[in-house]
């Protein structure tokens, strides 16, 4: 009898593994995020929210960002996503999450009360979370996320180092920039540092100049496959990197430098210019509170076309479509993006608020970033995006140019060859 | 009679089921956490999948075909092979030499053992960042900030100053040497343990027969240590072929494809280009390569034992 009982118990235990469904507390909203620097601030906001509404907000941190991305993808596969989370990947991945029913459509909420919520937020920040009519991902038009802050990526200059060569205003044209950089080099100061050991930062810098040299239409035509990368304008884009490397304007080892190290170089005054995002204000403040610096648009090459920089929503949260606390989650997002909470977030984390009404309370350097929000663009709001394999070849090719291994022409041909393959693959799929 | 037989059979069946029930949890856990992932990875390698969508397109062996002609993949295998060769020679020779020294009656033996085992217990990320600082090529106010370049200049060897991690000629070698520095402690401990199991009577017998240090090493130590050396070799090969954290912390995604190894390629296919199926095909092929290498060493090990 004992044996039969033990057999029954064993079978029961095995069969019950993983069968139990976690009981969900209807008064608790769970948020997953990756922002180490903002975790404490989020927690204090959560506490405030609980005091005001009685709803508990559980904030879970999964950092760094690539670990978070893995976690979100794995949780989506297992359908165990929290009430609120962020999607850090490209628009294509965001679309995939929506397509598979992991993200709630927030359009109706944004449009309520004469679009009160929508009007309060920077339009550029909302665009990152917006899918327009006729989008290439076939997603129902709407707004699918709420931006917590806005960001843009520009160039920073060190006032003290520039003063050493008698320069008081930052360069506006690329020619001026080269002249200043060469003067700095003569007195032993390195010019430009950036985290080009991270591929996306190279892509960002290159795309700024691509927009400036040939304009948005031609860039999009290239992505569509109608303009080859061997076009003289693209060669010009690749040649910028060759020029910067050949003239010794880039800090040594820039291609293997993660952005954290590049930030350290600029903060410790090892370089006069940096290419970095608005989040750097917080980072530089921690590393060197006495750093005197300003923000500027990357110096333009073509005066006929505007310089476009990457920017928009810095970090956004989406609501889980399957969440049983969906309404509470949306209410919390509305609360955290209102003026009061946004001012607090901006003050504590030194990031640009996504709520326009909160702009009045921000530090001077942040207002320099906010001033150029109209120049921002971002891959996720473009009509077309380049295939990931082509982008990889493009970015790695630029690294090869910087280390003097390949010429712009060679890289352009290699990128075009991959592009051609991708176009053929897409054509085969369509058939 | 048939009733008794039937009862016996039933009792036996119950008995077998009960016995089986005791191993069932182990089998279930093994299947869920070991066999199923293997099956799923292989299954995924036959599909094209973006990692999120519920739809997976079956592509048969297309991913494997593409992999066969992927020059960057084979280049990454060669890079891992290069790191492995350096580890097999430099790292293991260093480990064996130090183990031989520490096996003797020397002063501060325990201290050395502890010191040599510090690098393996350090986090790879930390080791990578420390070495990145040592090999850093930047300057401030005309002075080198990286320790190695600074020491070279101060020692009157400025012509040897190099951009160690951003020069394709030196980057991979630097990574391989740091990997050896990080890993030699494991080999040292295993080899030292092996040396201590050799019967001292064998050394006495060799000495009585008139064998000198070299002959004793060649005819006593080396043959007795062969099985241990082979274990260390297999562990070195497996560890070195799969190195990647060190690479990410030392050079990030930098230097074109000069520091790409199989695991970084797999990661880049998964997270960079969203090709999970292709990444799984890489994983399956890489696993097959590692199994083949391990089997070859096992075969060699058996041969050595027979000799």
């Amino acid at each position: 009898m004992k044996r039969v009982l033990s057999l029954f118990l064993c079978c029961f235990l095995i069969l019950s593994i993983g069968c139990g469904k976690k009981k969900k507390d209807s008064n608790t909203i769970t948020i997953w995020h990756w922002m180490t620097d903002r975790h404490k601030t989020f927690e204090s906001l959560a506490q405030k929210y609980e005091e005001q509404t009685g709803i508990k907000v559980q904030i879970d941190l999964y950092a760094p960002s690539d670990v978070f991305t893995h976690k979100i993808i794995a949780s989506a596969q297992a359908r165990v996503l929290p009430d609120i989370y962020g999607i850090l990947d490209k628009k294509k991945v965001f679309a995939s999450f929506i397509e598979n029913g992991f993200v709630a459509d927030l359009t109706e909420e944004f449009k309520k009360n004469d679009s009160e919520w929508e009007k309060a937020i920077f339009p550029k920040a909302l665009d990152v979370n917006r899918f327009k009519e006729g989008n290439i991902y076939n997603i129902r038009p709407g707004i699918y996320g709420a931006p917590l802050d806005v960001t843009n990526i520009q160039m920073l200059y060190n006032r003290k180092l520039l003063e050493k060569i008698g320069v008081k205003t930052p360069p506006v044209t690329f020619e001026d920039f080269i002249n200043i950089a060469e003067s700095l080099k003569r007195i032993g100061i390195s010019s430009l540092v950036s985290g080009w050991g991270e591929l996306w930062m190279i892509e960002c810098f290159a795309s700024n100049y691509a927009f400036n040299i040939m304009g948005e239409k031609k860039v999009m035509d290239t992505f569509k496959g109608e303009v080859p990368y061997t076009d003289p304008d693209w060669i010009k884009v690749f040649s910028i990197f060759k020029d910067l490397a050949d003239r010794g304007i880039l800090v040594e080892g820039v291609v293997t430098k993660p952005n954290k190290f590049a930030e350290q170089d600029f903060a410790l005054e090892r370089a006069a210019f940096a290419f970095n995002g608005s989040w750097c204000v917080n980072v530089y403040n921690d590393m060197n509170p006495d750093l005197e610096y300003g923000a500027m648009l990357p110096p333009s090459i073509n005066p006929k076309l505007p310089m476009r920089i990457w920017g928009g929503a810095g970090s956004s949260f989406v609501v889980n479509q399957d969440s049983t606390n969906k309404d509470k989650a949306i209410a919390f997002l509305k609360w955290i993006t209102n003026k009061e909470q946004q001012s607090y977030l901006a003050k504590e984390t030194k990031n640009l608020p996504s709520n326009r009404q909160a702009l009045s309370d921000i530090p001077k350097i942040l207002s320099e970033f906010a001033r150029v929000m109209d120049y921002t663009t971002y891959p996720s709001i473009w009509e077309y995006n380049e295939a990931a394999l082509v982008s990889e070849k493009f970015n790695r090719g630029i690294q090869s140019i910087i280390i003097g291994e390949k010429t712009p022409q060679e890289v352009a041909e290699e990128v075009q060859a991959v592009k051609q393959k991708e176009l053929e693959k897409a054509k085969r799929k369509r058939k | 009679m048939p009733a008794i037989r039937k009862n016996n059979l039933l009792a036996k069946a119950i008995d077998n089921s009960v016995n089986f029930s005791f191993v069932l949890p182990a089998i279930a856990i093994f299947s869920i956490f070991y066999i199923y992932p293997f099956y799923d990875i292989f299954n995924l390698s036959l599909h094209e999948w973006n990692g999120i969508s519920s739809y997976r397109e079956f592509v048969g062996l297309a991913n494997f075909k593409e992999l066969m002609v992927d020059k960057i993949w084979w280049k990454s295998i060669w890079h891992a092979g290069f790191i492995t060769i350096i580890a097999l020679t430099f790292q293991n020779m260093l480990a064996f030499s130090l183990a031989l020294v520490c096996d003797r009656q020397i002063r501060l033996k325990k201290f050395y053992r502890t010191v040599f085992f510090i690098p393996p217990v350090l986090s790879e990320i930390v080791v990578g960042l420390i070495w990145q600082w040592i090999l850093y090529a930047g300057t401030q106010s005309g002075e080198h900030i990286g320790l190695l370049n600074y020491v070279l200049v101060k020692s009157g060897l400025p012509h040897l100053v190099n951009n160690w991690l951003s020069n394709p000629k030196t980057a991979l070698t630097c990574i391989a040497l740091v990997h050896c520095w990080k890993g030699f402690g494991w080999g040292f401990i295993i080899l030292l343990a092996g040396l201590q199991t050799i019967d001292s009577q064998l050394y006495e017998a060799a000495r009585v027969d008139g064998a000198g240090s070299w002959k004793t090493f060649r005819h006593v130590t080396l043959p007795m240590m062969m099985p241990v050396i082979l274990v260390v070799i297999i562990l070195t090969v497996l560890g070195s072929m799969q190195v990647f954290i060190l690479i990410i912390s030392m050079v990030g995604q930098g230097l074109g494809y000069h520091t790409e190894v199989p695991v970084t390629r797999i990661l880049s296919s998964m997270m960079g280009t969203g090709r999970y199926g292709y990444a799984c095909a890489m994983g399956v092929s890489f696993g097959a390569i590692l199994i083949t290498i391990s089997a070859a060493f096992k075969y060699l090990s058996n041969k050595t034992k027979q000799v």
Side-chain angles (χ1 to χ4, degrees), chain B residues 270-285:
Chain B
M270 267 186 171
M271 305 314 294
T273 53
R275 301 183 70 202
Y276 277 68
Y278 190 60
C280 287
M282 284 177 170
V284 169
S285 311

Side-chain angles (χ1 to χ4, degrees), chain B residues 34-46:
Chain B
Y34 204 80
I35 295 175
Y36 176 72
F38 268 120
Y39 159 77
D40 209 29
I41 287 171
F42 183 72
N43 185 33
L44 270 177
S45 70
L46 306 175

Side-chain angles (χ1 to χ4, degrees), chain A residues 122 339 343 352-353 355-363 366-367 370:
Chain A
F122 267 112
K339 190 192 169 193
S343 298
L352 280 170
N355 189 316
R356 289 188 284 191
Q357 296 152 355
L359 270 181
S360 50
D361 309 327
I362 60 171
L366 274 181
S367 64

Side-chain angles (χ1 to χ4, degrees), chain A residues 6-132:
Chain A
S6 61
L7 174 70
F8 173 75
L9 276 173
C10 276
C11 290
F12 176 76
L13 280 173
I14 291 163
L15 292 173
S16 61
I17 291 174
C19 293
K21 193 164 184 174
K22 230 181 173 178
K23 255 197 171 175
K24 178 90 185 142
D25 179 2
S26 65
N27 214 35
T28 303
I29 310 166
T30 310
I31 302 178
W32 288 358
H33 77 102
W34 65 97
M35 296 164 265
T36 325
D37 59 329
R38 277 166 257 188
H39 188 62
K40 273 190 184 162
T41 318
F42 283 156
E43 277 183 331
S44 61
L45 281 172
Q47 206 177 344
K48 190 176 166 190
Y49 191 69
E50 192 179 354
E51 282 162 16
Q52 285 181 9
T53 62
I55 293 166
K56 194 171 183 267
V57 183
Q58 169 77 35
I59 312 245
D60 296 333
L61 171 71
Y62 299 98
S65 49
D66 49 344
V67 169
F68 179 80
T69 305
H70 286 289
K71 168 99 186 155
I72 287 297
I73 291 177
S75 304
Q77 286 163 10
R79 295 205 166 253
V80 288
L81 286 164
D83 303 309
I84 298 174
Y85 60 99
I87 300 168
L88 283 172
D89 233 308
K90 299 176 195 82
K91 192 103 173 185
K92 194 177 162 190
V93 177
F94 189 10
S96 212
F97 268 81
I98 298 169
E99 203 182 348
N100 287 283
F102 299 129
V103 179
D105 185 350
L106 303 178
T107 319
E108 207 179 297
E109 295 296 330
F110 272 102
K111 301 282 179 199
K112 267 183 189 169
N113 302 328
D114 192 25
S115 302
E116 188 188 0
W117 192 15
E118 187 181 1
K119 282 176 186 166
I121 307 287
F122 267 112
K124 293 268 183 182
L126 265 188
D127 281 351
V128 172
N129 298 298
R130 194 193 303 268
F131 283 82
K132 287 182 182 163

Side-chain angles (χ1 to χ4, degrees), chain B residues 87-104 113 116-117 183-198 203 217 221-236:
Chain B
L88 280 175
T89 50
F90 178 70
Q91 175 184 315
N92 287 350
M93 278 205 295
L94 180 70
F96 199 24
S97 315
L98 293 173
L100 282 170
V101 172
C102 284
D103 190 40
R104 294 181 176 198
R113 277 187 211 174
F116 296 150
F117 202 62
F184 84 90
W186 286 115
F188 165 76
I189 289 289
I190 297 170
L191 291 165
L192 184 63
L195 284 170
Q196 286 171 350
T197 59
I198 300 175
Y203 288 114
F217 174 74
T221 312
L222 215 49
M224 294 303 289
M225 285 294 287
M226 243 12 229
V228 183
I229 290 172
L230 275 163
V231 168
V232 171
I233 287 176
I234 292 177
L235 290 178
T236 309

Side-chain angles (χ1 to χ4, degrees), chain A residues 168-392:
Chain A
K168 291 218 166 110
T169 49
V172 177
T173 67
F174 196 73
E175 210 182 323
D176 285 347
F177 172 70
I178 296 286
N179 290 336
I180 291 174
E182 289 193 325
S183 305
L184 285 165
K185 199 181 153 194
R186 277 195 286 277
I187 57 163
I189 298 171
S190 303
S191 286
L192 179 60
V193 70
S194 188
W196 288 348
E198 293 176 26
L199 295 180
W200 74 271
M201 287 214 77
I202 299 182
E203 190 175 354
C204 175
F205 191 81
S207 111
N208 289 175
Y209 280 100
F211 274 73
N212 177 239
I213 290 170
M214 65 190 94
E216 183 169 351
K217 193 186 172 298
K218 197 165 176 180
V219 174
M220 293 305 130
D221 285 348
T222 312
F223 295 167
K224 277 191 266 178
E226 289 165 7
V227 172
Y229 279 98
T230 45
D231 183 274
D233 279 344
W234 278 106
I235 302 285
K236 257 190 219 171
V237 174
F238 289 122
S239 301
I240 295 169
F241 294 91
K242 184 172 163 50
D243 204 20
L244 292 173
D246 288 352
R247 291 175 190 266
I249 288 170
L250 300 172
V251 159
E252 290 276 356
V254 74
V255 287
T256 52
K257 215 176 265 296
N259 202 35
K260 260 283 165 267
F261 285 4
E263 283 169 346
Q264 205 173 28
D265 279 347
F266 186 74
L268 300 177
E269 310 199 316
R270 293 172 189 159
F273 294 95
F275 180 68
N276 204 358
S278 50
W279 58 83
C280 70
V281 176
N282 199 16
V283 180
Y284 295 153
N285 188 55
D286 284 347
M287 288 179 177
N288 180 5
D290 300 327
L291 187 71
E292 288 173 35
Y293 66 102
M296 60 184 246
L297 282 175
S300 160
I301 287 185
N302 181 1
K304 288 176 192 158
L305 287 169
M307 172 56 73
R308 304 298 299 272
I309 53 169
W310 279 17
S315 38
S316 297
F317 277 152
V318 298
V319 174
N320 183 357
Q321 169 73 12
D322 295 333
S323 165
T324 47
N325 286 332
K326 206 159 86 180
D327 292 340
K328 285 177 184 150
I330 293 170
F332 178 76
L333 285 188
K334 279 186 180 174
W335 180 83
I336 205 171
T337 50
N338 73 21
K339 190 192 169 193
E340 192 187 340
Q341 271 50 255
Q342 283 286 300
S343 298
Y344 177 73
L345 263 172
K347 192 178 139 235
E348 291 296 311
T349 65
K350 295 182 179 62
N351 283 294
L352 280 170
S354 62
N355 189 316
R356 289 188 284 191
Q357 296 152 355
L359 270 181
S360 50
D361 309 327
I362 60 171
K364 187 178 169 276
I365 181 68
L366 274 181
S367 64
E368 284 184 38
F369 276 98
R371 214 167 43 206
V372 294
M373 277 309 288
D374 287 342
Y375 292 92
T376 60
T377 181
Y378 198 66
S380 57
I381 61 168
W382 297 342
E383 196 186 345
Y384 292 93
N385 278 164
E386 187 51 282
L389 275 177
V390 182
S391 292
E392 194 200 356

